[in-house]
Amino acid sequence: MNMQVIFVFVTGLSLQISLTRAYDKPTYIYHNCPRTNFTPNSAYQSNLNLLLSTLRSNATRGSSDKFSKGFYNTTTGHEPNKVYGLFLCRGDFGTETCQNCVSVATSYTAQLCPFGKENTIEYEECLLRYSNISFFSVLDTSFRLSLWNVENSPSRSFDQFVWNSMNEAVNQALSTTKMFATVKKNYTASQTLYSLVQCTPDLSRDDCSRCLRLAISPLDGCCSIKIGGRVMYPSCNFRYELYQFYNDTSNGTLPPVFFSPPSPGSVTSSKGGKGKKATWIAIGTIITTITLFILLGSFVWCRRRINK
């Protein structure tokens, strides 16, 4: 039985490395859990549990005006045990994907950040935040995550093309209530650049602009001469790629499609400038596990043959 499961997984691996997402789960990116803890079974924990339940129910209900933008914020309890929280879903995902992501995020936060008074959890599909300090409508760039494709850009003019495309996306986002925009531009006859930007819609337009332009400003340090990259702050994020990684909403529909990156091992993540080839590590672990199972199976089979 184990061998059958392994070989089914290997087949899936050869067709599409499924490190980007499982279809029934959102794609985890990171979480940031500062070391400020609450006492177990305290009033704060009760308020936090209520907050998470409220966020989850507002995601699955999907009827409020706030949810129509994929965004909801609320508070529970009173000082000094008051808890502030919100969720934000990426603007190109539909209701079902959004509610699934929020449900998973609120369910797993206790595992990711046990007894933490504040946490920021980022998935590909949604963002979840909570804290004992109010952060609503406040620009927050206290934590930055940078990721980039390890493949170099096709030419020296590519960086300027990315810069122009990102600024166009920022201007478009600032003209919408969702503070979300995507831009698709032909770089060459055979290459198309896809860009995406988003802010939490409780920010003012000025703060959203400051956040996104701050995210884009270190483009040289983050993703220079790379064919893809992204920067994520608690209040905003941007991403660009030479493949379509978002759903095209230009026709008013949200097709249930998730676009995978080109080749395995092509993404590097960074906190504070140090990169990790996470994809290769994951694949190496999988292949090693498969090899060990095959060797173990062969060893058992040989022993049985000898003992007969």
Side-chain angles (χ1 to χ4, degrees):
M1 179 64 69
N2 287 338
M3 292 295 286
Q4 290 177 349
V5 172
I6 289 171
F7 280 116
V8 168
F9 194 70
V10 173
T11 302
L13 215 73
S14 63
L15 294 175
Q16 195 72 263
I17 302 297
S18 187
L19 297 176
T20 50
R21 104 183 270 262
Y23 284 97
D24 58 342
K25 293 181 180 179
T27 307
Y28 170 83
I29 300 176
Y30 79 92
H31 73 279
N32 184 32
C33 178
R35 295 179 181 178
T36 306
N37 294 336
F38 59 80
T39 304
N41 303 315
S42 62
Y44 190 89
Q45 184 172 22
S46 297
N47 291 334
L48 175 58
N49 291 338
L50 178 58
L51 176 92
L52 296 173
S53 176
T54 302
L55 292 175
R56 185 162 52 245
S57 63
N58 276 277
T60 55
R61 181 174 21 175
S63 59
S64 69
D65 178 61
K66 283 187 177 182
F67 182 78
S68 66
K69 298 183 292 186
F71 172 77
Y72 186 83
N73 61 6
T74 189
T75 63
T76 55
H78 303 283
E79 299 295 352
N81 296 303
K82 192 171 185 177
V83 190
Y84 304 79
L86 64 77
F87 70 77
L88 171 67
C89 292
R90 211 176 75 183
D92 59 317
F93 286 115
T95 301
E96 184 178 352
T97 301
C98 180
Q99 68 187 35
N100 178 55
C101 184
V102 174
S103 178
V104 170
T106 53
S107 299
Y108 277 88
T109 182
Q111 296 181 30
L112 296 173
C113 188
F115 310 119
K117 282 191 174 183
E118 56 182 305
N119 194 9
T120 300
I121 309 174
E122 186 83 49
Y123 290 86
E124 192 69 53
E125 296 83 354
C126 72
L127 164 75
L128 175 73
R129 292 188 67 189
Y130 60 83
S131 176
N132 61 322
I133 301 172
S134 178
F135 57 87
F136 299 160
S137 304
V138 176
L139 173 60
D140 186 351
T141 55
S142 59
F143 176 84
R144 189 188 85 170
L145 177 69
S146 301
L147 302 98
W148 57 89
N149 197 303
V150 296
E151 186 176 344
N152 289 336
S153 59
S155 70
R156 293 183 178 179
S157 63
F158 185 73
D159 280 5
Q160 186 61 49
F161 189 82
V162 170
W163 179 269
N164 293 340
S165 180
M166 296 305 306
N167 276 283
E168 182 178 334
V170 171
N171 291 333
Q172 288 191 23
L174 295 176
S175 66
T176 69
T177 56
K178 293 176 68 172
M179 296 192 180
F180 169 85
T182 60
V183 169
K184 178 172 63 175
K185 297 175 73 69
N186 292 329
Y187 178 61
T188 66
S190 60
Q191 292 178 310
T192 302
L193 179 70
Y194 299 87
S195 306
L196 179 151
V197 300
Q198 185 169 24
C199 292
T200 55
D202 59 333
L203 291 181
S204 68
R205 280 177 170 74
D206 286 343
D207 281 343
C208 178
S209 176
R210 275 193 286 270
C211 187
L212 287 173
R213 298 190 191 284
L214 180 63
I216 296 169
S217 64
L219 194 61
D220 289 341
C222 153
C223 324
S224 179
I225 70 169
K226 301 299 180 182
I227 64 169
R230 66 197 302 179
V231 168
M232 311 180 81
Y233 285 119
S235 290
C236 71
N237 69 88
F238 82 80
R239 183 180 180 182
Y240 72 91
E241 304 284 355
L242 281 178
Y243 63 91
Q244 187 173 343
F245 62 91
Y246 56 77
N247 291 310
D248 188 357
T249 60
S250 59
N251 58 4
T253 62
L254 289 168
V257 176
F258 190 88
F259 301 92
S260 299
S263 57
S266 61
V267 176
T268 301
S269 62
S270 171
K271 291 182 182 180
K274 292 187 177 181
K276 297 180 180 179
K277 295 181 180 178
T279 309
W280 278 122
I281 292 171
I283 295 172
T285 303
I286 293 167
I287 294 174
T288 302
T289 303
I290 293 169
T291 304
L292 288 174
F293 269 100
I294 292 173
L295 291 174
L296 179 62
S298 301
F299 175 75
V300 171
W301 181 80
C302 291
R303 287 296 299 269
R304 287 180 178 176
R305 292 277 294 180
I306 294 171
N307 293 333
K308 283 186 178 180

